């Protein structure tokens, strides 16, 4: 009896391992549609440090000094990510006409604002970084030799769209 139960349990586990999950949904072009990257509450630190580690790996490969997260730059980035959502467009100016420099000053950052990268996507932070690195203008913000500090934040809409903002300073 025990042997039969063991064989049935083993067979059930093998069949469960072979089961196919939900197939990917395809778009009109036949390619799989992106899945929503749902950011869980409380994962802010994990995401910021994952981005910081990835940025610093790229910088280290170029012989540059690592960046550190800065609370004031994080605040400026968070303000702009939410404001882009409110405006429903990715651009560098706030709904009040503020520039990235204005936002960094308002947040109390004592250094010089060097660059800002923004994105509107459903992609993860690392996919977004990869897209920034594929463009020379946004890649320069990531690997600016003058940069010492980084702020990184986002706003995710209920439907899943994410507004990412990275700010660097020195």
């Amino acid at each position: 009896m025990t042997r039969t139960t063991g064989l049935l349990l083993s067979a059930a586990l093998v069949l469960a391992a072979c089961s196919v999950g939900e197939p990917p949904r395809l778009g009109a072009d036949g390619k799989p549609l992106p899945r929503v990257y749902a950011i869980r509450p409380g994962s802010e630190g994990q995401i910021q440090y994952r981005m910081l580690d990835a940025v610093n790996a790229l910088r280290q490969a170029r012989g540059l000094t690592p960046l550190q997260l800065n609370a004031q730059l994080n605040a400026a980035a968070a303000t702009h990510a939410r404001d882009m959502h409110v405006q429903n467009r990715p651009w560098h100016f706030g709904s009040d006409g503020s520039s990235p420099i204005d936002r960094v000053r308002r947040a109390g950052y004592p250094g010089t604002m060097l660059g800002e990268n923004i994105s509107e996507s459903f992609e993860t932070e690392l996919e977004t970084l990869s897209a920034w690195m594929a463009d020379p203008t946004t890649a320069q913000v990531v690997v600016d030799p003058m940069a010492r500090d980084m702020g990184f934040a986002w706003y995710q809409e209920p439907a899943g769209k994410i507004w990412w903002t990275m700010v660097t300073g020195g």
Side-chain angles (χ1 to χ4, degrees), residues 48 68-76 107-110 149-152:
Q48 286 178 321
Q68 59 184 0
L69 280 177
N70 178 276
Q72 290 97 353
L73 293 180
N74 283 342
Y109 182 67
D149 299 314
M150 180 181 96
F152 181 68

Side-chain angles (χ1 to χ4, degrees), residues 77-97:
T79 297
H80 193 55
R82 182 173 292 274
D83 193 45
M84 286 190 298
H85 154 71
V86 169
Q87 296 181 72
N88 196 32
R89 64 178 170 178
W91 75 322
H92 293 282
F93 294 94
S95 56
D96 63 355

Side-chain angles (χ1 to χ4, degrees), residues 115-133:
E116 179 181 72
N117 283 341
I118 57 173
S119 178
E120 163 197 23
S121 74
F122 289 90
E123 297 177 327
T124 70
E125 66 279 359
L126 298 181
E127 290 168 321
T128 300
L129 177 60
S130 179
W132 287 338
M133 292 306 293

Side-chain angles (χ1 to χ4, degrees), residues 1 4 16 26 33 40 53 76-77 80 86-87 89 99 101 104 109 112-113 122 136 138 148 155:
M1 183 71 162
T4 305
L26 301 178
L33 292 172
R40 294 184 326 267
D53 289 346
H80 193 55
V86 169
Q87 296 181 72
R89 64 178 170 178
S99 71
I101 294 170
V104 166
Y109 182 67
T112 301
M113 192 292 261
F122 289 90
T138 52
R148 297 293 177 262
Y155 176 79

Side-chain angles (χ1 to χ4, degrees), residues 8 27 32 51 79 84 117 133 147 154 163 165:
L8 287 174
M51 177 62 98
T79 297
M84 286 190 298
N117 283 341
M133 292 306 293
W154 61 91
W163 301 86
T165 304

Side-chain angles (χ1 to χ4, degrees), residues 20-27 31-33 35:
V20 177
E22 181 181 321
R25 296 180 336 168
L26 301 178
K31 294 181 181 177
L33 292 172
R35 294 180 186 222

